[in-house]
Structures are given as structure tokens and as C-alpha cells.
Amino acid sequence: MNKKSTGSREEEKVSTKLRNKELSVVEEKQPVTGSSMLIKALAKEGVDVIFGYPGGAILPTYDEIYKSGIRHILARHEQGAIHAAEGYARVSGKPGVCIVTSGPGATNVVTGIADAMIDSLPLVVITGQVATSVIGTDAFQEADMIGITMPITKHNFQVRTIEDLPRIMKEAFHIATTGRPGPVLIDLPKDVSVATGIFDYEKEVDLPGYQPTVIPNKLQIRKLAEAVSEAKKPCILSGAGVLHAHAYDELFEYAEKMRIPVASTLLGLGAFPGEHELFLGMAGMHGTYAANMAIHQSDLLISIGARFDDRLTGALQHFAPNAKIAHIDIDPAEIGKNIETQIPVVGDAKAALKMLLDENGSAGETGVWLAELDKMKAEYPLWYKEDGETIKPQKLMELIYEVSNGEAIVTTDVGQHQMWAAQYYKFNKPNRWVTSGGLGTMGFGFPAAIGAQFAEPNTPVISILGDAGFQMTAQELSILQDLNLPVKIIIVNNSSLGMVRQWQQLFYEERYSNSVFNTQPNFVKLAEAYDVKGMRVDKVEDVKGALEEALAHDGPVLMDFRVTQIENVYPMIAPGKGQHEMEGIKP
């Protein structure tokens, strides 16, 4: 009897599950609004946090957000929302989602979209739009977001009918996250968001014109393996593409196996351990002497996921003049765009490195070369002069690294502090470095730190900012106040637009036009106005203790470090010079 009743209970459970499944299918086939479709699509894509700001045209969607279980973070300005989405995407590897209203709400995210496009960050940006019946009439809060964003998105859509919405949502996430990642914009008219239709999200994405090459050509891989075996002075240039492809383990294994030194782009930092013996440091305008000279003297340069931008190469006619160039990149448009390439390898960096490892090619004789580079690292290290009286920004970066044990996620704004952080904070793990590279967006660093903290809630996040850039998005302190988000803000305060001032000193005969501040806000009082712990530090001997106190605090902290004002970032490749013509390599 017990067995029979147990069996009956099991049969009842199965029957209940089947009924629930049938009800679910029926429910899926019930008409729903466009806004409901949008939220259902986000849930199916695994989105767990949205950054945004509501307004009239997007209100139906915000009403659905209110009913849903997806977390929404209210920025205090749309620029803060888009940069937070970028920081989330950079650290998590998942697409950042930003939702804003039409008109000014939409145009306020344009800079962030352009920033994500040039730095290859996967975003899905949803902008409200006026009703389809009045598009093109200059209706209240109308802006042509398709026309505005076409040059700065990987793709953009305007939803004209309710039937298209599920397909567009699915295609948007697919495009944003495959191939070379990038931002995709969905412009949603208000009437479409309230119209009803059947939500069908089961159809496969079918984009015949969009088929990124993931697996490289085997013959090109073999050609590269042969070049490696013959090279005496090979060098790997590691870019952000290694991080996007999650190829850091393969890069580590390949560099060690073939005994090839590794230089990094600004955005590639963390793809190879910063303290490893084969690591040369960052290359480019403010890179290390060893990294730049390794590229300049190499006979084989293997670029992986880097795009050879001008801040890396310096004068193109002097770039790697003796090297055979191999370029691994998932975006074929980047190969040969700036630098002539002898071994083009189109494909995913992880797939390419796995194929190189499987090729089992022989390593070249690099012992003498590595010894030369070790000598360069020893003779021409990064340097600065301490005076014992003022806080040197370089020393501040070293202490941040020491106190955080190199475990923090570091975000920066743009300028001198960004370069000092890149030089002196050694990134030994991937996805711990969040900065604006190609666009150089001031105001990026602080909201990006908020997004990064949501991506990694249990990892300390340190946002290193200039006193100028911080003021562009300082209103996002409200998020820290609301949520007690434990972001640690470090203002490297030199009372100036530091990099602008440096260029005016070096190239404009010290005409400091609008780059030095005579007045500054009291940043401690500003923090306290938002119920955030504020600290001002202006004595050298107090720096380490202040950092320890801040990192031990379980909530947000803003630290105002008053550093030496007239301090330049060195070494440096001046405009028009080659990598072998670095200035400031010695005190």
C-alpha cells in the first residue's frame, strides 16, 4: 500500500509538471505588450542588471521593469548609465544593458556608445523614441538616433512593428557579443512599446550577411609557427582582443613554451601577468623602454587582438622596421589597415592560440634576445624623483598596488593618472583593468567603477581619477549613497588638466591656456554631502595609512590626494617620433 501511494504521489508530481509546462506554453502564446516582450527578452538573455534613466517615451518599458525581477540601477545622468554599462561589460564579459528615454536622454549616451565602439565593448542600448506616426516631424523630445549612431555602433535598429521586436532583441545580443564585440542600439517608438503581439523567442538568429570568422586558416597558422621557429628576436604584442576572447591561459602557455617576450597595449593589460619574467610592460607613447625597443628591434612581431593605433605605433615609418608582422584579429578590417602585414590570421584569438599550441612548432633560439631585454629592463626602468615633501603620483600608484595586494579592479579616467596607473599598477589577472582607450573619455572612470562593482560584488574596486574628470560625473555619488556600494575613489589632485598642462609645457612654450585651476571644490565636503566617507591627504607619510583605512572601510570612500602639480609622465614618445626615439628614459 505504501508503494502504491508513493507511486501515486510521483505520478501526480509528473502530471503537475506537465500541466505547468502546458500552461507556460499557453501563456507564452498570449498577446503581450512590446515593453513586456523587451523585458522577457532581457530575461532570456540572462541580463541581471540594467543601467538607465526613465523619461516619457520609455515609460511603458519602465512600468514593465517595475513588475520584473531584473535589477535596475538609476544613474543620475545618462552618461553615468552608459559608462556603468561599459564597466560592467568590461569586467563581466557579458553585454552591458543601458535603457534611456528619447531626445536628450538618448543623445546623452552618444559619447559612451562611441567609447564602447572603439574599445570593442559589448553593449545593448535601448532608447525610447516618439510614436511612429510623428517620427520626422520634430516632435517633442525626438532625435534621429539611427542617423546619429550609425557611424558609432556595430549595428542599430529601429523597431517599426511589434512583430519585429523579438527578432531584433535576439539579433542585437547576438551581434553585440559575437565576432568583434561592440555596441548595438535599439530605438523603440512609444506606440510599439504599448502595442500587443505574440512573444516568440525560439527562432534561431539568421543573418547571412554577418558571419564572423572564428576559426583561423590552418595554413596561416602553420606559416606563423614556421616563422616563430626561425625568429631570433620575436615579440608578442597582446591587445584587448586576448581578453575579449578569454585567451589569457593560452597566451601564457604559448609565450612560456616558445620563450617569447610579451608587450601589452594599454587595453591589453592583465592578459599576461604583469610580474612575469617574460612581460615587458606596456608599449606605446608612455610605455616602457624595454617594450618599445623590443618591438622596434624584433624580427617577428606577433600582434594578437591589437589594432596598431597611433598612440601605440608612433610614427608609422619607424614602427618595427626589421620585423615580419603577424597579425591575429577577429576583425579582418584591422589587418593591414595601419601596418603592412605579412602573416594575416583572421579569427578568434583563443582559437588561434590553441591551433598554434596544437601545431607543436619548435621554439626559436631566443636566449640571447631575452638576456638583452632583461638588461634593458634593468638599465631603463620606470623612474621618478621623490622630494620627501610632496606626494608623487607614481609613488601613490605603487602604494595602491601594495596595499591592495594587486587584487583590486582598477578603473581610471583619462590623462596623467591613467598613464601612471597603467605603468605602476601590475595587473596579474585578466579583467581587472577598466579604462577608456581609443576615445579617451573624461568622466568615464567613476561610473565605470560602479558597473565593475556590480559585475564583481566581492572584489574591491578602486577608481583612480583626476580632479577634472571626476567632476564630469560626480553626481553618480548618489548611487554609492543609495546602495552603500563599496567603491573606493582616489582623486589624484594636481589642480590641473594634467596631460593638457604637460603638452602645453612641452610643445606650447609653457602657455597654460585654461589647464590650471585656481579654485577647487572641497571634495571631502562633497563626499560627505552624499553620506560618503571623505578623506584629504596631503602629507607623504600619511598616504599608506590612508589607503589601508579606506580599503578596510566596508562602504564607499572618497580620497583626495594632493599630489605634485608640475609632474610629467615619462618616458614619452613625442608626436611624430618613432618608438626608438623615447624621451625621459633616464632621470
Side-chain angles (χ1 to χ4, degrees), residues 58-285:
I58 201 71
L59 278 183
T61 299
Y62 268 81
D63 194 46
E64 290 297 329
I65 291 172
Y66 183 86
K67 302 171 190 175
S68 76
I70 297 177
R71 189 173 196 184
H72 179 277
I73 305 305
L74 176 65
R76 272 35 177 193
H77 189 285
E78 290 88 355
Q79 184 183 3
I82 191 82
H83 291 328
E86 286 187 273
Y88 177 87
R90 184 69 174 82
V91 172
S92 71
K94 299 193 293 185
V97 176
C98 179
I99 300 181
V100 295
T101 195
S102 64
T107 57
N108 278 344
V109 299
V110 167
T111 297
I113 293 171
D115 188 273
M117 182 65 177
I118 199 166
D119 285 353
S120 305
L121 294 174
L123 298 184
V124 174
V125 182
I126 297 155
T127 54
Q129 184 55 277
V130 299
T132 54
S133 59
V134 293
I135 288 177
T137 68
D138 293 330
F140 177 66
Q141 290 194 332
E142 179 187 359
D144 179 9
M145 290 309 293
I146 298 301
I148 289 170
T149 64
M150 189 172 289
I152 56 168
T153 51
K154 192 175 176 185
H155 194 68
N156 61 17
F157 300 89
Q158 188 173 78
V159 189
R160 303 294 296 203
T161 67
I162 187 69
E163 291 78 17
D164 289 338
L165 183 54
R167 172 186 58 80
I168 286 173
M169 289 294 293
K170 197 161 192 174
E171 288 178 4
F173 277 89
H174 177 74
I175 293 168
T177 57
T178 55
R180 179 178 178 174
V184 176
L185 180 131
I186 301 171
D187 200 39
L188 181 64
K190 189 171 184 179
D191 58 322
V192 177
S193 72
V194 297
T196 58
I198 302 299
F199 179 67
D200 182 3
Y201 213 67
E202 301 308 313
K203 292 179 183 177
E204 294 296 320
V205 171
D206 182 23
L207 297 171
Y210 175 70
Q211 300 292 332
T213 300
V214 175
I215 305 301
N217 183 291
K218 192 168 184 180
L219 292 177
Q220 293 301 97
I221 291 291
R222 187 165 298 158
K223 189 183 294 185
L224 176 52
E226 290 170 359
V228 168
S229 68
E230 296 167 1
K232 298 291 189 293
K233 295 183 175 184
C235 180
I236 291 172
L237 176 64
S238 173
V242 176
L243 295 163
H244 294 313
H246 307 286
Y248 19 84
D249 291 338
E250 288 78 10
L251 173 62
F252 183 86
E253 184 180 350
Y254 187 71
E256 281 208 323
K257 182 179 179 181
M258 296 297 162
R259 303 301 297 162
I260 301 176
V262 178
S264 177
T265 66
L266 172 67
L267 291 178
L269 290 170
F272 194 82
E275 292 185 309
H276 195 280
E277 61 175 351
L278 290 173
F279 189 62
L280 302 171
M282 180 178 70
M285 178 173 279

Side-chain angles (χ1 to χ4, degrees), residues 223-529:
K223 189 183 294 185
L224 176 52
E226 290 170 359
V228 168
S229 68
E230 296 167 1
K232 298 291 189 293
K233 295 183 175 184
C235 180
I236 291 172
L237 176 64
S238 173
V242 176
L243 295 163
H244 294 313
H246 307 286
Y248 19 84
D249 291 338
E250 288 78 10
L251 173 62
F252 183 86
E253 184 180 350
Y254 187 71
E256 281 208 323
K257 182 179 179 181
M258 296 297 162
R259 303 301 297 162
I260 301 176
V262 178
S264 177
T265 66
L266 172 67
L267 291 178
L269 290 170
F272 194 82
E275 292 185 309
H276 195 280
E277 61 175 351
L278 290 173
F279 189 62
L280 302 171
M282 180 178 70
M285 178 173 279
H286 293 294
T288 66
Y289 180 80
N292 283 329
M293 291 306 293
I295 292 172
H296 184 73
Q297 295 180 10
S298 65
D299 59 8
L300 174 64
L301 179 61
I302 307 168
S303 172
I304 310 175
R307 58 187 181 82
F308 291 125
D309 71 290
D310 58 298
R311 289 298 169 102
L312 170 82
T313 63
L316 289 175
Q317 67 269 29
H318 298 305
F319 183 77
N322 305 311
K324 180 182 288 187
I325 305 293
H327 191 170
I328 300 170
D329 206 295
I330 200 161
D331 184 355
E334 291 296 345
I335 297 179
K337 184 177 80 174
N338 296 328
I339 299 294
E340 186 177 345
T341 302
Q342 287 73 47
I343 308 176
V345 181
V346 179
D348 177 76
K350 190 181 188 79
L353 284 163
K354 280 185 174 180
M355 289 172 71
L356 281 169
L357 287 163
D358 292 342
E359 193 69 27
N360 205 24
S362 59
E365 297 175 4
T366 62
V368 173
W369 172 233
L370 292 174
E372 288 178 17
L373 294 175
D374 283 341
K375 187 177 179 183
M376 286 184 200
K377 286 194 280 187
E379 289 186 359
Y380 300 100
L382 295 170
W383 63 272
Y384 60 94
K385 291 181 179 179
E386 292 190 80
D387 58 21
E389 296 179 2
T390 58
I391 299 171
K392 291 290 181 172
Q394 302 94 327
K395 182 66 174 179
L396 175 59
M397 301 304 160
E398 289 180 328
L399 287 171
I400 294 169
Y401 177 71
E402 179 186 331
V403 172
S404 68
N405 296 314
E407 294 293 326
I409 294 169
V410 174
T411 78
T412 76
D413 231 88
V414 172
Q416 286 184 316
H417 69 277
Q418 176 191 33
M419 293 298 106
W420 284 317
Q423 289 176 335
Y424 289 94
Y425 196 101
K426 296 177 176 62
F427 294 93
N428 292 307
K429 293 181 179 179
N431 303 320
R432 291 290 181 267
W433 170 241
V434 183
T435 196
S436 173
L439 199 64
T441 304
M442 290 180 69
F444 169 90
F446 176 36
I450 292 169
Q453 191 72 82
F454 280 104
E456 290 277 354
N458 299 318
T459 302
V461 174
I462 298 175
S463 191
I464 301 174
L465 312 170
D467 46 296
F470 172 64
Q471 293 183 71
M472 291 189 173
T473 47
Q475 73 281 343
E476 304 309 327
L477 283 167
S478 277
I479 296 178
L480 306 193
Q481 179 186 25
D482 266 358
L483 305 173
N484 197 37
L485 208 65
V487 172
K488 315 304 180 191
I489 301 166
I490 293 176
I491 299 175
V492 184
N493 191 342
N494 54 15
S495 295
S496 67
L497 299 171
M499 193 62 84
V500 174
R501 186 211 55 75
Q502 176 170 334
W503 277 55
Q504 288 173 335
Q505 177 188 341
L506 299 177
F507 309 120
Y508 294 89
E509 299 177 348
E510 301 185 11
R511 292 188 293 274
Y512 299 126
S513 177
N514 294 283
S515 61
V516 178
F517 301 129
N518 295 319
T519 58
Q520 284 276 50
N522 185 323
F523 289 114
V524 172
K525 286 186 176 179
L526 178 63
E528 289 171 350

